[in-house]
Amino acid sequence: YTCSSVDKPHSAFETYVVKSSKQHGVCWIKGIGKDISDNGYGTQTKSKAEEIAPLITASYGVSHELTTFLLPNALWDDSDEFLMSLVKKERIHMYKWDGVSKDGVASIALAVQATGSSTGYLALEYYGTDHDECDDAVKSAEGSAF
């Protein structure tokens, strides 16, 4: 489901998507960030992620891990091609919080994404404690729709 509003909106995000099942309620929430005008290095987009990550850490009391790497054989491998390497799915730049146990949340991920060589955005995902079971229930319900 796409939500037009949420309880605690943040100015960096413009759209929220929710996955739920009848048995489990809400099990996944994704905030999709606003476009960030940037250079090919992703400077502004990475800075926005660096600004938000400590806020999540403070709110949930769990430290994060930054995972950033370029996939082997990536074509977009120059430092000024950071955003394009994200577009082409050749790079990962993501903060992850595991072991969260607050408000039904088990883990959180904040990813730096891009839509082009000069536009980045953030994607923030919250995974509920019963996300896997909920995911299975949603798939099962969709399978019986035909």
Side-chain angles (χ1 to χ4, degrees), residues 16-122:
Y16 297 88
V17 181
V18 175
K19 183 187 292 183
S20 68
S21 74
K22 288 182 181 181
Q23 301 93 334
H24 302 93
V26 174
C27 60
W28 175 81
I29 300 170
K30 181 174 188 171
I32 302 169
K34 296 177 180 177
D35 285 349
I36 300 170
S37 292
D38 211 340
N39 56 30
Y41 297 94
T43 306
Q44 297 301 319
T45 310
K46 288 188 279 188
S47 291
K48 189 55 134 172
E50 291 167 3
E51 174 187 319
I52 291 174
L55 301 175
I56 296 169
T57 297
S59 181
Y60 286 89
V62 176
S63 61
H64 64 271
E65 181 179 317
L66 173 61
T67 301
T68 184
F69 62 89
L70 193 62
L71 297 174
N73 303 319
L75 298 175
W76 299 89
D77 58 355
D78 290 338
S79 58
D80 65 338
E81 297 173 329
F82 179 86
L83 291 178
M84 280 308 293
S85 66
L86 292 170
V87 171
K88 299 297 184 179
K89 309 239 185 283
E90 296 179 349
R91 178 183 300 275
I92 302 293
H93 192 87
M94 179 176 63
Y95 296 82
K96 183 100 190 244
W97 293 260
D98 287 319
V100 177
S101 59
K102 180 179 174 184
D103 301 330
V105 176
S107 64
I108 303 168
L110 176 65
V112 172
Q113 300 287 304
T115 58
S117 61
S118 61
T119 306
Y121 69 96
L122 301 178

